[in-house]
Amino acid sequence: MSELGLCSRREADEWIAKGWVRVDGKVVSELGTKVHPSQRVTVERQAAAEQSKRVTILINKPVGFVSGQAEDGYKPAVALIKPENRWEEDRSTERFHPTQLRSLVPAGRLDIDSVGLLVLTQDGRVAKKLIGENTDVDKEYLVRVQYLKGGKLPEADLRKLNHGLWMDGKPLLPAKVVWQNDDQLSFTLREGKKRQIRRMCEMVGLKVIGLKRVRIGKVRLGNLPEGKWRYLLPDEHF
């Protein structure tokens, strides 16, 4: 079901437990049931109706908030999702309700000392699209840097940032790294190892002064103010 793009694995488990899944017209109640490629998998309308109620929220995360669970005394970004922090210019007609905070999880990380676009979602399809093993959604960051070796970063090292660095014993995927101005680089990545950009910069003698995620796929941070949130619109797709 997950491979067919119907839902996430967790949602599939829930639907099966509720008796909403049929194989060749027969209700399947046992998790892990084998399905032959020639068999037809269908789900009840209740599943689609429940899925349509699940929200995806975009937040401009400030420094000092962690993406996921609270840790070391720092608050999670989800703590900012309350009516008074909703962006006044949010064009969504969705009405906030506390039930939207249930199972609202970050679809990707953003370091505690980084700011910018963070996606929180109840929709397993969105999470899989953004952080699944085969994701093809790129992410763009604006990174203010200081070169610690004097002068300007050599072109050869800029080329290494684009392709040629290794991390955790593996080569990094090609990236797109270009200068925006004298002290700011734009990074576009298709992977997200822990503190990847900061570690890449350290490898070539750059110190990161500030890091901001401005785009995930086709969805941009835009004018969303720091600390504010809005709903993903029906016509927006990563």
Side-chain angles (χ1 to χ4, degrees):
M1 288 168 67
S2 175
E3 287 171 4
L4 288 171
L6 297 174
C7 59
S8 68
R9 289 175 180 271
R10 186 180 65 182
E11 285 172 324
D13 289 347
E14 292 173 1
W15 293 358
I16 291 167
K18 290 178 179 178
W20 289 351
V21 180
R22 294 174 182 264
V23 175
D24 288 346
K26 295 182 180 179
V27 174
V28 174
S29 57
E30 186 178 340
L31 297 179
T33 298
K34 300 291 184 183
V35 180
H36 193 272
S38 64
Q39 292 181 294
R40 185 164 179 257
V41 178
T42 56
V43 294
E44 301 294 335
R45 289 181 180 177
Q46 298 99 306
E50 184 179 272
Q51 202 172 47
S52 69
K53 295 176 186 174
R54 298 187 175 183
V55 299
T56 296
I57 287 173
L58 312 176
I59 186 168
N60 186 344
K61 188 191 84 67
V63 167
F65 284 82
V66 292
S67 300
Q69 297 292 323
E71 56 184 71
D72 300 328
Y74 293 107
K75 290 183 178 180
V78 71
L80 292 166
I81 310 301
K82 42 192 175 183
E84 57 266 36
N85 287 342
R86 184 175 180 179
W87 189 28
E88 298 79 2
E89 296 182 28
D90 186 357
R91 294 188 287 115
S92 172
T93 57
E94 188 78 48
R95 296 184 67 177
F96 176 77
H97 193 275
T99 56
Q100 294 169 352
L101 299 176
R102 294 179 196 159
S103 304
L104 190 67
V105 297
R109 290 190 304 262
L110 194 57
D111 296 336
I112 191 170
D113 42 5
S114 300
V115 303
L117 184 57
L118 180 67
V119 177
L120 301 167
T121 188
Q122 293 179 313
D123 192 331
R125 295 169 301 175
V126 172
K128 183 182 178 186
K129 181 70 177 172
L130 299 187
I131 58 178
E133 284 183 20
N134 299 316
T135 181
D136 59 354
V137 177
D138 62 2
K139 302 172 182 69
E140 183 181 353
Y141 304 78
L142 294 180
V143 187
R144 198 163 297 282
V145 294
Q146 178 186 355
Y147 188 50
L148 300 177
K149 298 181 180 179
K152 189 171 171 57
L153 180 74
E155 281 297 316
D157 284 341
L158 181 63
R159 288 195 292 273
K160 280 184 186 176
L161 288 173
N162 278 271
H163 194 209
L165 295 178
W166 285 59
M167 195 172 289
D168 302 328
K170 294 181 180 179
L172 293 175
L173 294 177
K176 182 181 178 183
V177 185
V178 295
W179 286 105
Q180 295 293 103
N181 50 52
D182 288 345
D183 66 347
Q184 191 175 60
L185 287 162
S186 165
F187 276 72
T188 301
L189 307 178
R190 287 189 180 272
E191 59 189 330
K193 294 182 182 293
K194 192 170 183 179
R195 299 182 75 81
Q196 179 174 334
I197 291 176
R198 295 175 190 276
R199 292 164 69 190
M200 288 172 71
C201 286
E202 285 174 8
M203 291 177 187
V204 296
L206 290 171
K207 178 183 179 182
V208 172
I209 307 298
L211 191 154
K212 181 178 187 178
R213 184 156 63 202
V214 295
R215 180 178 61 80
I216 298 177
K218 295 179 181 178
V219 176
R220 293 188 172 276
L221 179 65
N223 296 323
L224 182 62
E226 197 170 300
K228 296 282 189 176
W229 63 271
R230 69 173 180 86
Y231 291 103
L232 183 74
L233 297 171
D235 61 350
E236 287 184 300
H237 304 283
F238 292 101

